[in-house]
Amino acid sequence: MHTCDLDISINRLSKIEGHADLDIKIKNGKVEHVELHVMENQRFYTQAVKGKPALAVPQIVSRICGTCSVAHLTGCIEAVEKTLDITPSEQTMVMRKLMMHSLMIRDHALHLYFFVAPDLFGIDSILDIDEDKKEIIHQALHVKEAGNNLSNLIGGRSVHAMFEQVGGFTRVIDNAKIPEVVEELKSIRPLIVDLAELFYNCDWEMKRKTRFVALKTEDFSYLEGYIATSEGEKIEEKDYWNHLHSVVLPYSQAKGFEFEGEEYMVGSLSRLNLNKEAMHENTKKDMKKYLDVFPSENIYHNNLAQAVEIMHSIDHSIELLENREFVKEEIVKPTKMSGEGVGVIEAPRGTLYYYLGVEDGKVKYANLVIPTAQNLINMREDVRKVVTDICGDNVAPTKEWEAKIKLEVEKMIRAYDPCMSCASHFLKINWK
Amino acid sequence: MSEKKKKVGVFTFTCDEGCSIYMIEIFNKKLIEWLEKMDLEYFLSMKDRRDATEFDIAIVEGAITTERDLHEIKKVREMSKILIGMGNCTITGMPTCQRNNFTPEQTEAIKDDLEKFDFLEKCLPVKEVVHMDDEVPGCPMDEKKFIEVLEKYL
Ligand code: SF4
């Protein structure tokens, strides 16, 4: 009898952000357990911000994650502003949207070209690609550089952007540089069509019923709106936490989350499933074929969704940049120094929640909910399904099973674009 | 005369990976040129293969906060001719080592995690643990300086 009996350990999953290990135990063809260990060492940011001046905290929490620092910065700024009753100017909001777009372009491009594309071509690294296909490396670098230059223009830097602050930006955009950045963004549009085509033609499939959750924004700008779910729920930003509960994952330096007691998914796939009508007109026109795929329950469509989002971020950025003259503005000052507030935005990997309590200008408590932590339980259930499916219909020698399971599971986890640096940050419940 | 390509490894210790992400942004303009002179032999963000045991240049980021970090940085040092530290985490330990400055109450609050995951008593910059041949300060590291330092050894 060839039943599947295996203990599989993957030490340090590669081509993801941060450090995670995976253990799977299979007995008599049944998956006994799946443990995804987030091995990223905690750096205790939620503890470290206690007692720090609220106005300085966004630049501190930016260092939670080098990959999506702009998301932490922007989400935390929103929480500080809601707490201290600061209303940012319209221009500031436009600039924040541009920062978020630049992040999506860079971050999704990194994931798709460097992390996922090798799986598509059956190679280890994109650098190993055949001579005749080498063009894709140049394309990847070009797309990322366009996003990087957009970050530089608005925030001064793509990682830990220094100009983005509570109440506004410390430096106005250099209007003279806008045409060049716009041109570069336009020049990568055809590359993104190619990229989407690549994932559109990819036949990987893994479907499992789950709940999709995302902040629904009117202009698909990743900022402001309400939280929507595929079950039809509508939740205000400030109430999001009430629907979640955190789950301890043994042997992991991270916690998972459930929504109303069930696993759920956040990220590009959720955003496209819930809000694709809000995409830019030019994206809707040129990406129609790809947009028609959504809503989808296929986790691998998260990759296609990211490609579509890159296009939207390009198109929305071009519109925002071309239609105004940016002027010097004063930073808006707080109107009070104590209070509580919530900031919710869509980071590249999904909904990011910040909650702050401030007294006399200093942070008393802080809580945050990280996208990857919200996806951990869904990811675990998906891994279980992938493994069960492989063991279910296959009779094979152990070695082959093991190789196949490893390949499929890693590929599937990568589709989530998990970020372990972020996931290791969570609230210690015993705060007073 | 054909020069041999340098074997380069990129190693991440405890941090937010901001410096390696920034390095990948620097790659946008520089990678193609650098690949004429180097092979990326170890870089888990870009490849899974990890059988290399010798490096001409190790590029490291992050701070040393657990026993495992400590063990691994020593191994990386042994395997590498030149070791370059990216970012303040490797030089001063900050911001990653902020737990060193916690108040007694804050330290108490994280005590269980420190014990459970084999944290060192103090978090240390790489520089205090092994010899660094060169360093690029900043958080993230300075772009120009990184190009200058890496090109010196390529
Ligand atoms: S120095 Fe700053 S950017 Fe670099 S790894 Fe450390 S925290 Fe991240």
Side-chain angles (χ1 to χ4, degrees):
Chain A
M1 266 293 284
H2 288 278
T3 49
C4 203
D5 241 348
L6 275 177
D7 287 334
I8 297 179
S9 289
I10 304 176
N11 175 22
R12 273 191 198 248
L13 294 158
S14 63
K15 288 166 276 175
I16 60 167
E17 298 297 343
H19 180 183
D21 299 343
L22 181 70
D23 282 339
I24 305 169
K25 195 174 177 64
I26 307 157
K27 228 175 157 190
N28 292 328
K30 274 189 67 181
V31 184
E32 286 210 328
H33 73 236
V34 173
E35 280 174 5
L36 183 69
H37 307 308
V38 175
M39 297 308 289
E40 198 63 42
N41 296 325
Q42 293 170 58
R43 286 164 287 132
F44 309 106
Y45 274 90
T46 35
Q47 203 40 259
V49 297
K50 281 168 104 178
K52 295 269 161 40
L55 298 178
V57 163
Q59 284 289 336
I60 297 176
V61 297
S62 175
R63 270 80 184 169
I64 286 177
C65 179
T67 312
C68 58
S69 63
V70 171
H72 284 276
L73 186 61
T74 311
C76 186
I77 285 175
E78 188 191 339
V80 175
E81 290 179 347
K82 295 261 160 76
T83 306
L84 305 182
D85 242 342
I86 297 169
T87 310
S89 74
E90 195 247 339
Q91 176 177 292
T92 294
M93 289 310 289
V94 168
M95 288 171 71
R96 282 184 195 157
K97 287 174 184 177
L98 287 164
M99 277 311 281
M100 290 302 295
H101 287 315
S102 75
L103 171 64
M104 295 291 171
I105 297 169
R106 291 170 41 234
D107 197 7
H108 287 349
L110 176 68
H111 177 242
L112 296 176
Y113 287 111
F114 286 58
F115 298 175
V116 190
D119 286 335
L120 281 180
F121 296 109
I123 50 179
D124 178 27
S125 165
I126 197 69
L127 302 178
D128 302 336
I129 199 157
D130 289 345
E131 260 326 301
D132 63 326
K133 296 201 194 84
K134 276 245 148 75
E135 186 51 30
I136 194 170
I137 301 178
H138 294 272
Q139 295 186 351
L141 299 176
H142 186 165
V143 169
K144 282 183 52 270
E145 181 66 355
N148 190 36
N149 285 335
L150 179 59
S151 291
N152 289 342
L153 176 75
I154 319 288
R157 192 160 67 189
S158 54
V159 178
H160 310 322
M162 55 273 203
F163 302 156
E164 190 176 346
Q165 304 277 351
V166 174
F169 282 75
T170 53
R171 188 141 349 144
V172 64
I173 296 180
D174 181 354
N175 288 293
K177 287 202 181 130
I178 291 177
E180 202 182 310
V181 171
V182 167
E183 267 327 294
E184 196 174 26
L185 288 171
K186 286 183 178 164
S187 75
I188 60 170
R189 288 189 93 250
L191 307 184
I192 302 308
V193 177
D194 291 351
L195 184 68
E197 185 69 19
L198 201 60
F199 288 101
Y200 180 79
N201 290 326
C202 164
D203 62 359
W204 302 342
E205 192 179 274
M206 180 17 237
K207 288 184 179 170
R208 197 177 57 79
K209 178 112 191 69
T210 193
R211 191 194 243 106
F212 295 98
V213 175
L215 187 68
K216 208 163 163 167
T217 55
E218 265 172 33
D219 54 358
F220 213 101
S221 64
Y222 314 105
L223 306 176
E224 294 186 319
Y226 66 89
I227 294 143
T229 80
S230 52
E231 308 291 307
E233 287 119 328
K234 266 176 111 169
I235 300 158
E236 276 187 62
E237 287 191 1
K238 67 174 174 45
D239 298 330
Y240 189 45
W241 177 253
N242 301 340
H243 297 263
L244 308 182
H245 96 222
S246 68
V247 181
V248 178
L249 304 170
Y251 315 113
S252 181
Q253 299 217 31
K255 273 187 189 162
F257 281 92
E258 288 177 343
F259 182 98
E260 300 293 356
E262 291 172 24
E263 74 267 24
Y264 63 111
M265 187 191 173
V266 297
S268 294
L269 181 59
S270 296
R271 290 191 289 260
L272 275 247
N273 281 348
L274 295 165
N275 201 25
K276 68 172 184 175
E277 311 75 42
M279 290 218 139
H280 196 274
E281 286 310 314
N282 293 346
T283 307
K284 281 195 209 164
K285 202 168 86 224
D286 294 342
M287 304 292 271
K288 182 173 183 313
K289 177 169 131 191
Y290 313 117
L291 271 166
D292 285 346
V293 168
F294 303 95
S296 164
E297 281 184 357
N298 180 2
I299 171 66
Y300 288 109
H301 281 149
N302 196 44
N303 296 324
L304 181 62
Q306 287 191 336
V308 175
E309 283 191 338
I310 296 180
M311 188 63 102
H312 164 76
S313 278
I314 294 170
D315 289 336
H316 197 205
S317 297
I318 293 172
E319 188 189 311
L320 294 174
L321 284 169
E322 276 185 332
N323 287 309
R324 70 188 306 142
E325 177 91 6
F326 290 86
V327 295
K328 179 139 185 52
E329 290 183 332
E330 290 300 311
I331 298 277
V332 183
K333 295 264 160 12
T335 53
K336 57 179 192 169
M337 288 317 271
S338 300
E340 281 182 355
V342 166
V344 177
I345 66 158
E346 282 293 319
R349 292 162 189 76
T351 312
L352 173 66
Y353 167 98
Y354 264 90
Y355 168 68
L356 288 179
V358 175
E359 219 176 78
D360 300 327
K362 299 232 162 78
V363 171
K364 259 203 106 193
Y365 38 83
N367 185 17
L368 72 169
V369 180
I370 299 286
T372 295
Q374 297 175 78
N375 282 338
L376 283 177
I377 296 180
N378 209 55
M379 215 184 293
R380 186 184 69 191
E381 293 314 305
D382 278 357
V383 170
R384 197 189 294 277
K385 180 160 192 315
V386 167
V387 177
T388 307
D389 288 354
I390 293 173
C391 290
D393 12 288
N394 282 314
V395 176
T398 310
K399 275 265 166 282
E400 272 171 46
W401 252 326
E402 185 167 343
K404 186 160 169 57
I405 289 172
K406 274 192 176 170
L407 186 78
E408 290 300 313
V409 163
E410 284 205 45
K411 206 169 87 180
M412 208 273 312
I413 290 178
R414 243 171 241 137
Y416 276 91
D417 191 8
C419 177
M420 302 306 168
S421 316
C422 282
S424 62
H425 287 86
F426 54 86
L427 167 81
K428 265 269 168 247
I429 305 295
N430 56 7
W431 288 7
K432 291 190 196 77
Chain B
M1 212 180 73
S2 77
E3 270 184 68
K4 264 193 59 200
K5 284 193 189 182
K6 294 284 192 308
K7 290 193 166 97
V8 175
V10 182
F11 301 90
T12 298
F13 293 89
T14 302
C15 64
D16 68 348
E17 305 195 7
C19 283
S20 61
I21 288 290
Y22 205 54
M23 181 182 72
I24 296 177
E25 295 299 348
I26 299 173
F27 279 177
N28 296 340
K29 277 177 286 207
K30 286 286 186 180
L31 183 66
I32 301 295
E33 179 192 330
W34 284 345
L35 284 177
E36 307 265 306
K37 296 183 187 159
M38 68 173 192
D39 281 320
L40 276 171
E41 290 284 316
Y42 183 100
F43 188 12
L44 287 186
S45 293
M46 281 173 80
K47 65 197 308 176
D48 188 47
R49 234 194 67 219
R50 42 189 112 177
D51 47 8
T53 51
E54 273 178 16
F55 300 92
D56 294 302
I57 304 168
I59 302 172
V60 305
E61 69 178 336
I64 307 303
T65 197
T66 59
E67 293 288 349
R68 182 165 166 172
D69 279 347
L70 187 64
H71 176 72
E72 287 177 359
I73 186 66
K74 287 182 180 160
K75 241 173 45 193
V76 169
R77 178 67 267 191
E78 274 168 27
M79 293 191 296
S80 317
K81 292 197 187 111
I82 297 291
L83 191 143
I84 301 171
M86 289 193 284
N88 293 348
C89 287
T90 63
I91 304 166
T92 65
M94 293 305 274
T96 290
C97 292
Q98 55 198 352
R99 72 174 165 95
N100 294 348
N101 305 329
F102 277 7
T103 61
E105 295 96 74
Q106 285 177 310
T107 308
E108 182 60 29
I110 64 171
K111 203 182 80 198
D112 290 350
D113 285 321
L114 294 181
E115 277 169 17
K116 188 165 154 204
F117 296 103
D118 266 343
F119 278 80
L120 299 169
E121 194 171 317
K122 264 186 82 182
C123 171
L124 303 164
V126 171
K127 199 178 177 174
E128 264 181 43
V129 181
V130 296
H131 172 69
M132 293 205 314
D133 298 279
D134 230 317
E135 59 190 44
V136 187
C139 179
M141 63 172 175
D142 183 77
E143 174 173 351
K144 281 206 189 77
K145 173 93 191 196
F146 177 73
I147 296 172
E148 188 192 304
V149 168
L150 183 62
E151 289 186 340
K152 193 156 92 187
Y153 299 104
L154 282 182

